[in-house]
Amino acid sequence: MLSVLAELHSNILAPLISVLTVDLNFLGIITAGLFALVLLTVSFLTSTRRAAVKAQGRQL
């Protein structure tokens, strides 16, 4: 019984676990990339808004 379980683990569970960890790493990379993109967009928008406010202040 134990040898059957060991064989099952080495043939099925180990590849499945490695695939899952690769998927999790991939998801982490995607999430980090999206988060960085959002942060860049927000900082860009706030800086352009500040510049626009400064330009309006000069016009007045």
Side-chain angles (χ1 to χ4, degrees), residues 14-55:
L16 193 68
I17 288 168
S18 65
V19 166
L20 279 177
T21 52
V22 166
D23 274 357
L24 284 176
N25 288 337
F26 194 60
L27 274 174
I29 291 167
I30 290 175
T31 308
L34 282 174
F35 188 66
L37 196 66
V38 166
L39 280 178
L40 280 171
T41 308
V42 167
S43 63
F44 177 72
L45 287 175
T46 52
S47 66
T48 50
R49 182 169 291 162
R50 277 196 207 115
V53 167
K54 277 183 185 172

Side-chain angles (χ1 to χ4, degrees), residues 55-60:
Q56 264 187 339
R58 282 194 217 107
Q59 284 174 354
L60 297 171

